[in-house]
Amino acid sequence: MQPKDRTIAQESWWRRVGVAGALGLPVLFAARSLSFGDGALQFFAENWLYYAAPYGVAFLAHKFVPFVRSTFLTPALLAVSGVLLFFRCWIWWFVPGREGPIAWLLYPPACAAVLLLVWMATHVHARLTNAKAGGW
């Protein structure tokens, strides 16, 4: 990515690393469940789709909500990854084994709430940045 004056653009490397790590987390957890026996190979795709569904929602919001295009995707993916990591640890350490599948029912609403919070934060940030620039 080069600007018009032929200088090299400073693109943040941490965003690339964050997005790659965020997208790898559902695959890692779906693959990890294979070794425990609770996610047989026949359920790998279903487990992965369940873990990765909020990532798809974040990508769709990034694609179709134009005012948050530049600031929404990275924080949304990292926030959803945090929710996934939190749920996985919570279920491993605190939820009894037979109640684990029931506890996973809270994952989609928690991701929806976090995505809504990230959307609101990026919307407010965009408005404040626009107001400081004199465009509001």
Side-chain angles (χ1 to χ4, degrees), residues 5-80:
D5 63 353
R6 296 285 202 193
T7 60
I8 297 173
Q10 295 292 329
E11 192 166 327
S12 58
W13 60 271
W14 66 270
R15 284 188 179 203
R16 291 182 190 163
V17 171
V19 169
L23 294 177
L25 200 60
V27 174
L28 176 72
F29 284 149
R32 179 78 174 126
S33 67
L34 291 174
S35 66
F36 289 124
D38 60 351
L41 186 58
Q42 64 187 7
F43 297 118
F44 176 79
E46 289 88 353
N47 287 339
W48 177 79
L49 284 174
Y50 189 76
Y51 294 150
Y55 295 88
V57 172
F59 276 113
L60 288 174
H62 172 72
K63 178 73 174 165
F64 294 112
V65 181
F67 68 87
V68 294
R69 270 187 202 270
S70 63
T71 59
F72 176 74
L73 187 60
T74 302
L77 291 178
L78 293 176
V80 169

Side-chain angles (χ1 to χ4, degrees), residues 12 23 34 36 45 65 86-87 92-93 96 112-113 116 124 128 130:
S12 58
L23 294 177
L34 291 174
F36 289 124
V65 181
F86 169 78
F87 262 84
W92 274 344
W93 294 326
L116 181 64
V124 167
L128 290 175
N130 196 16

